[in-house]
Amino acid sequence: MSTPYPDAPSPAQQYPDGPGVQPAAPQAAPATPAAAPAPPAAAPTQAPPSGPAAALLQVRAEVAKAVVGQDSTVTGMMIALLAGGHVLLEGVPGVAKTLLVRALSQALSLDTKRVQFTPDLMPGDVTGSLVYDSHTSEFTFREGPVFTNILLADEINRTPPKTQASLLEAMEEHQVSVDGVSRKLPAPFMVAATQNPVEYEGTYPLPEAQLDRFLLKLTMELPARDEEIEVIRRHSLGFDPQDLRAAGVRSVAGAADLAQARAAVSRVDVAAEVLAYIVDVARATRQAPSFQLGVSPRGATALLKCARAYAWLCGRSFVTPDDVKALALPALRHRVALRPEAEMDGVAVDGILMSILATVPVPR
């Protein structure tokens, strides 16, 4: 099942409620699964976006020059950046997970580094380590690839738990401690980790404590037929995934725009009834018979952050219950655990979450 919130608009469209190029006539929100109703359409008199909102909306158009058919995943990545969280990308090989991260960082003028996680990777290979300098007869710290804005942790489930755990401090506190000294990471900082959902032999599944540190788990599906034809057409015309500049991907926003946008997101209003609705959804997962582990308070907080960021992207200064529904699956699906008997029966986590969303009373 793909990410359940409404796909962000194509480069020629706008977000259903706001930031985007103002069309000649109001457009309806994109089609959405029943579990995540689309927000209401924007008023015809709404002014075009400006400042960081316009810059961040343009990011989608730039990423689309390199990546085809993953609009909802791009939206999820932007929500994670706005909320200051991390993303777990799951999809079969060849659906452009790495290309998406590279294109996003290029459009946002952010530094990115990639680490291929393997069974022999050591924690110091990620965080950095002390190196002896023979000229000064002293140890100096050599920064690891985690000192970047967007760290692409490729196939994170192929490295042992000790190396996986080396990212915990970086993800939670945005710093790295080596030899008793803490070193701050650049701002903004996000981990975009990928894992293959079909090859589990020789892998080390992420523990619940680390999964809980990811704000969103986004599933990248295979493209539709028309989208796959477009991918092949671009390659036939000479598209090179390693040369994003040749593909026309420009830097249209930067860290300053992102900082302003985060400040604006923090001011998005959340009514007491909506806060209670988020808590009710989280508590319902703890009572679901098929779950042996439900959503923790951290998960409820993550859902709040995501709903706020999505509301801001939609051009609203307040969160609606539909925003909560739209982000519930990607924000919660990795924070629950099925009972063994439910797994044997082939029960799907997303299906149970959708049932919960359909039964928890929605505030009016």
Side-chain angles (χ1 to χ4, degrees), residues 22 49 56 86 105 154 173 184 209 233 236 260 275 324 327 359 364:
Q22 196 72 6
L56 290 177
H86 311 283
S105 61
D154 214 354
E173 302 177 31
K184 287 291 184 183
R233 186 191 70 83
S236 72
Q260 293 180 46
L275 289 175
V324 177
L327 273 298
T359 55
R364 299 297 179 187

Side-chain angles (χ1 to χ4, degrees), residues 1 9-10 49 119 180 182 188 196 206-207 226 256 262 273 279 331 333 335 350 352 354 360:
M1 182 176 293
S10 64
S182 297
N196 187 337
L206 291 170
D226 291 346
R262 285 182 173 182
E273 294 81 5
V279 171
R333 57 162 62 110
R335 303 175 193 273
D350 282 9
I352 300 174
M354 291 178 70
V360 174

